[in-house]
Amino acid sequence: MSGIIDLRSDTVTRPTLAMRQAMFDAELGDDVYGEDPTVNRLEARAAELAGKQAALFVPTGTMGNTIGIKLLTTHGQEVICESRGHLLNYELSMAAWFAGCLIRPVDAAEGILTWEKIEPHVRPLGPHWAQTGCIELENTHNMAGGTVYPLETLDEICHEARKRGIGVHLDGARVFNASVAQGIAASRICRDVDTVMFCLSKGLAAPAGSILAGPRDLIERGRLHRKRLGGGMRQAGVLAAAGLVAIETMIDRLAEDHANARRLAGFLGTLEGVRVLNSQPATNIVIFDVAGAGKTARQVSTALKEAGVLMNPVAPAVMRLVTHCDFAAGQAGAVEAALERAIGR
Ligand code: TLP
């Protein structure tokens, strides 16, 4: 859509020229037989980046999370998850549908759980209680505004969970945004979690695909679950080729998206009646409330659209904007002007 500035999500990013070329050139085979050399290369490289023994290429982040939860739980258990988590709110109850687990939501400021917050919700098996099967963490946390887990918080949760035999799955859809923001390797961030899912198709701009990484035996079982879920993709090397370019060329530049998000958050903070939930965004997501301007999020979204700028409402008065590689710093002025007109009284 030329002329339109699309800040609805980083999922809207299109593959780069280098990705399209790599897709064209990709060496292919049948991945259900394990014979697609490009998928195999992507899985090996992704495992290395996550610091895990093995990795599985899955079509979507939702499938990666679904399989991750399935691997760490048994039917009838509970999964601890932050209340605004993607797993709980945006994945069609897959944890219930596929893994047979109930999500136990825990509120946390900025979406960042701590062991102190988690511990009271950990349940042993009892006459009335379903046992806690695993803890799911989201880093960065989408709906809290791309917030990042402090390393020590993450490490402590994993340490305490392990002592109790409870698995930890990381929804790292945007873990490379966390890595760039903190200047810490993704493999270090993921060191103590059992399984991690990360997306190639968000800020890294691949057309589709995510990775589930973890111990070899779990990932081999995960491969069977992927087939069950309809994710046996045959000559998936056309997609994996783009994924390889994504992880080799698109990570470091995420810092630009973070700078653009900071600029737009700063501008929003100057508009009367707007409350920015994360006024100093750590990564590429800004969440803001327009109630004080006497507007609904739907009204603001519609007015912005008329000005050629797309942003999604995420609650009746709350909106989200997400910066990404198809948005250039040079377009920020146009977005600010559109915001001023759409929100101004
Ligand atoms: N997030 C999408 C929407 O579903 C909300 C977006 O626009 O941000 N984990 C996290 C933290 C995510 O943000 C998403 C997608 C997923 C998992 C699921 O990935 P996909 O869409 O590939 O299934």
Side-chain angles (χ1 to χ4, degrees):
M1 281 195 284
S2 63
I4 301 280
I5 300 177
D6 192 346
L7 300 178
R8 287 173 301 172
S9 180
D10 46 11
T11 60
V12 302
T13 48
R14 280 147 303 181
T16 63
L17 218 55
M19 288 180 195
R20 291 169 196 253
Q21 189 60 51
M23 293 169 83
F24 184 82
D25 294 334
E27 217 186 319
L28 304 173
D30 190 329
D31 182 50
V32 174
Y33 291 98
E35 290 173 3
D36 188 303
T38 311
V39 171
N40 293 343
R41 265 204 301 136
L42 172 65
E43 289 180 346
R45 184 73 184 103
E48 193 176 51
L49 273 178
K52 300 293 176 200
Q53 285 175 349
L56 183 67
F57 183 45
V58 289
T60 63
T62 300
M63 192 187 286
N65 281 340
T66 299
I67 297 173
I69 298 302
K70 176 75 181 163
L71 291 170
L72 299 179
T73 56
T74 57
H75 255 65
Q77 290 190 324
E78 292 193 354
V79 175
I80 290 177
C81 167
E82 201 280 326
S83 314
R84 285 168 289 171
H86 196 275
L87 183 79
L88 173 60
N89 296 291
Y90 303 101
E91 298 189 13
L92 292 107
S93 296
M94 280 304 278
W97 191 84
F98 191 62
C101 288
L102 181 78
I103 302 226
R104 171 73 46 197
V106 177
D107 293 337
E110 300 181 352
I112 302 299
L113 289 168
T114 57
W115 179 251
E116 201 184 350
K117 288 203 161 68
I118 291 172
E119 194 174 16
H121 300 278
V122 172
R123 293 181 156 195
L125 188 60
H128 306 288
W129 287 357
Q131 193 173 19
T132 303
C134 82
I135 296 165
E136 192 260 8
L137 308 173
E138 190 174 311
N139 190 23
T140 66
H141 192 299
N142 185 345
M143 288 300 157
T147 48
V148 176
Y149 266 85
L151 206 50
E152 34 319 340
T153 306
L154 197 57
D155 287 354
E156 187 189 10
I157 294 171
C158 293
H159 176 73
E160 295 297 332
R162 184 154 297 167
K163 276 204 302 204
R164 292 161 178 80
I166 297 169
V168 177
H169 172 73
L170 184 68
D171 176 347
R174 297 182 179 83
V175 75
F176 294 110
N177 293 86
S179 162
V180 166
Q182 291 175 307
I184 300 172
S187 56
R188 173 62 189 88
I189 294 175
C190 303
R191 188 187 70 186
D192 297 338
V193 303
D194 296 275
T195 51
V196 54
M197 180 284 287
F198 64 80
C199 292
L200 303 165
S201 61
K202 296 197 165 59
L204 305 187
S210 294
I211 294 290
L212 178 69
R216 196 172 309 282
D217 57 330
L218 283 193
I219 295 302
E220 281 321 305
R221 275 169 47 212
R223 205 170 282 283
L224 304 179
H225 290 313
R226 183 183 68 176
K227 191 70 169 65
R228 286 192 174 99
L229 288 165
M233 293 191 290
R234 307 296 178 184
Q235 287 74 37
V238 281
L239 293 173
L244 274 162
V245 176
I247 56 182
E248 299 309 352
T249 68
M250 300 298 284
I251 294 176
D252 292 344
R253 63 147 310 287
L254 292 171
E256 286 174 44
D257 303 341
H258 302 174
N260 287 333
R262 279 197 299 276
R263 168 171 171 175
L264 293 176
F267 176 79
L268 279 162
T270 67
L271 294 181
E272 212 188 313
V274 174
R275 190 171 63 87
V276 184
L277 267 67
N278 57 328
S279 55
Q280 309 270 322
T283 59
N284 67 328
I285 300 178
V286 183
I287 309 275
F288 58 101
D289 190 316
V290 294
K295 299 270 163 83
T296 65
R298 181 59 59 199
Q299 286 169 331
V300 172
S301 175
T302 304
L304 284 172
K305 192 172 178 182
E306 280 160 17
V309 175
L310 305 183
M311 281 180 209
N312 274 341
V314 292
V318 183
M319 309 208 32
R320 179 184 78 153
L321 75 81
V322 187
T323 55
H324 52 72
C325 63
D326 289 346
F327 170 75
Q331 294 173 302
V335 172
E336 290 167 356
L339 280 166
E340 198 153 27
R341 273 200 305 278
I343 298 175
R345 277 177 268 205

